[in-house]
Amino acid sequence: MDRFIVKDQNSLLSSPVSSGDCMAAAAQAAASDLLFRIRFENIIVFHGTSSRIYPVKRIDENCNLKQSEYSCVVEGAAPPDIKDRAEIRVCVSYIEDFNNISDKAHVDPRFANLFLVGGEGIGTASGGRPGYLDGEALVEKPVRDSVFETVANVCDISDGAQLLLITVSCPGGMMIAAGNTMGQTTFAGGITIMGEHATISKIHQRDISDSIDFQIKKQVDYGVNSVLVSPGNYCADKINSQLHVPLTTAAHCYNYPGQAIDSCVSYGVTNMLLVGNVGKLVKLAAGITNTNSFASDGRREIFAAHTAIIGGTSSQVRTVMHCLTCDEILALLTTWGIRDRVMSSIMNSIAEYCTIRSRGRLNLAVALFSEEFGLLGSTINTKNVLVKVSQEQFALSLKLK
């Protein structure tokens, strides 16, 4: 499926070109595409009060649900090792196995979820090079700081829990570096990414809202009238095994399920099935539609309130209020034998809110999942909506092949 495209932005001041800025720009674009399906065409890089627009390009063949890669071309740059031009590529990918991470990866103690390595055409340190351990990719520290901060900012907007690997490469970098070794005694195997510390603006909520709108409109343009929506791919296996709907064609609403409801109403969608992790979607029971943990929480309060509503004791309510995670709460409710009743009460509240939000113009069903407990609850009309959504989403998957 095509991604939302952010067009040219009209802001250009004088700022020196560097391979480091190109890396930071490509990293911003790749992380935004991976986490939010936002496709940037240009990234503005700031140095103090000056800035420069860097065009970035998506490497489509290297992009999928687990990684995204963008390139940015540096030419006429200040770095002495790039005299003409070079293509700087950055791939941002999910980490599924820590054993696959090189022990030579760059890390930043501020961002424990991010790792940076060098790929094709990037030199590696040797011989006790100052500022590096032997085997580390030659990316100068000010650049590393910029890249880590840039990707971390994207993660923060999506709750910041993703473990990500950042891989920088430069096709032809080895030849560029080899051409600059005259009179030198060492060859690092590729170029060094150089530059000063730079900053890149955080993704705006409007960009995410536009991405949600774009995804739903794209499905409507394909003739889809029954849309599958999810905050992301979390619990995808549980959802597929218990509802038999893969999330491969789902429109992602991220932390804004209310925006997805509004978009479906606006584009005349008939049926919407919203599925996902209980930690995010349970907040709908309190009318919370910005589910970012830094913006809102209320999970304990929702579970505690509905424990009381179904006749739970004051001791049980207080115990729920002292829990830290939804799975901890669900384990207690299971032990007490009241989980199904609590979830039924919560799902009724979610259904009431969704009817208000959609103004009754949408057949909207919601199902909540947990990795540990599987399907926890669904609104009363889920079965009817599920049949229509599964049929149309399967047809859509065939069109997209």
Side-chain angles (χ1 to χ4, degrees):
M1 182 184 295
D2 291 338
R3 303 293 202 266
F4 169 66
I5 297 176
V6 179
K7 293 293 185 181
D8 205 332
Q9 304 179 55
N10 297 317
S11 175
L12 177 60
L13 299 173
S14 176
S15 179
V17 177
S18 75
S19 55
D21 285 358
C22 287
M23 180 181 173
Q28 166 88 335
S32 301
D33 184 31
L34 178 66
L35 299 184
F36 293 109
R37 296 186 179 180
I38 298 173
R39 181 187 289 183
F40 283 104
E41 292 183 341
N42 300 286
I43 298 292
I44 304 177
V45 179
F46 295 89
H47 289 275
T49 58
S50 64
S51 64
R52 180 178 293 276
I53 293 177
Y54 284 87
V56 292
K57 180 182 179 182
R58 188 172 188 267
I59 312 300
D60 292 337
E61 61 270 23
N62 294 338
C63 295
N64 52 51
L65 294 177
K66 296 182 179 180
Q67 68 176 43
S68 181
E69 185 171 18
Y70 271 72
S71 70
C72 184
V73 174
V74 55
E75 44 190 339
D81 59 346
I82 301 177
K83 298 176 181 178
D84 187 10
R85 72 191 301 273
E87 180 188 14
I88 308 300
R89 292 189 176 191
V90 175
C91 178
V92 178
S93 57
Y94 290 114
I95 296 172
E96 298 179 338
D97 185 351
F98 272 110
N99 293 323
N100 294 332
I101 302 175
S102 169
D103 58 359
K104 301 300 183 182
H106 288 291
V107 295
D108 189 317
R110 299 173 297 169
F111 313 113
N113 61 314
L114 303 180
F115 299 82
L116 190 158
V117 296
E120 175 190 1
I122 304 299
T124 55
S126 61
R129 185 161 177 163
Y132 298 92
L133 298 176
D134 285 357
E136 288 183 333
L138 294 178
V139 180
E140 291 186 338
K141 188 174 187 308
V143 178
R144 299 200 303 267
D145 290 344
S146 298
V147 170
F148 278 124
E149 291 165 8
T150 295
V151 176
N153 283 337
V154 180
C155 289
D156 283 345
I157 299 173
S158 63
D159 283 352
Q162 298 84 0
L163 291 171
L164 299 178
L165 179 65
I166 306 164
T167 305
V168 58
S169 61
C170 176
M174 182 178 292
M175 296 303 297
I176 294 173
N180 293 334
T181 57
M182 286 189 179
Q184 299 180 20
T185 58
T186 61
F187 173 56
I191 65 169
T192 300
I193 303 295
M194 301 180 177
E196 301 298 322
H197 183 272
T199 58
I200 296 177
S201 297
K202 293 184 178 182
I203 296 175
H204 196 280
Q205 181 178 329
R206 181 179 60 250
D207 296 331
I208 302 173
S209 296
D210 289 346
S211 173
I212 296 169
D213 288 344
F214 180 83
Q215 293 175 69
I216 292 172
K217 182 179 183 300
K218 193 69 176 178
Q219 294 210 14
V220 172
D221 290 343
Y222 272 107
V224 173
N225 221 9
S226 301
V227 175
L228 177 65
V229 177
S230 177
N233 290 317
Y234 193 70
C235 294
D237 291 340
K238 296 288 186 182
I239 293 168
N240 192 21
S241 64
Q242 294 190 257
L243 294 185
H244 307 292
V245 283
L247 294 184
T248 51
T249 59
H252 287 176
C253 64
Y254 314 110
N255 284 310
Y256 304 98
Q259 177 67 37
I261 295 171
D262 295 345
S263 294
C264 284
V265 171
S266 175
Y267 291 118
V269 171
T270 302
N271 305 290
M272 172 180 162
L273 176 61
L274 175 60
V275 295
N277 175 29
V278 62
K280 286 192 177 294
L281 296 186
V282 74
K283 299 177 185 181
L284 289 171
I288 297 172
T289 56
N290 180 350
T291 62
N292 189 302
S293 297
F294 294 104
S296 59
D297 199 343
R299 293 169 297 174
R300 293 180 303 177
E301 290 80 1
I302 291 168
F303 276 107
H306 287 274
T307 297
I309 288 171
I310 61 93
T313 66
S314 58
S315 176
Q316 288 173 329
V317 171
R318 286 195 299 271
T319 302
V320 168
M321 284 299 296
H322 285 95
C323 292
L324 297 178
T325 67
C326 287
D327 280 347
E328 186 180 350
I329 294 172
L330 291 165
L332 285 172
L333 297 179
T334 302
T335 300
W336 296 333
I338 60 174
R339 192 186 81 192
D340 289 346
R341 284 187 289 155
V342 171
M343 289 308 307
S344 178
S345 180
I346 287 173
M347 296 313 301
N348 286 338
S349 291
I350 289 176
E352 289 174 6
Y353 173 75
C354 289
T355 299
I356 294 170
R357 181 74 183 225
S358 65
R359 302 182 294 282
R361 300 178 185 177
L362 184 64
N363 296 325
L364 174 55
V366 183
L368 271 55
F369 285 81
S370 159
E371 283 288 3
E372 182 174 348
F373 297 96
L375 178 62
L376 296 168
S378 58
T379 51
I380 195 168
N381 61 334
T382 297
K383 288 185 178 179
N384 292 332
V385 173
L386 175 61
V387 170
K388 297 171 183 176
V389 168
S390 61
Q391 289 174 345
E392 292 201 40
Q393 292 297 307
F394 177 71
L396 176 63
S397 68
L398 297 179
K399 292 179 183 179
L400 296 176
K401 283 185 176 179

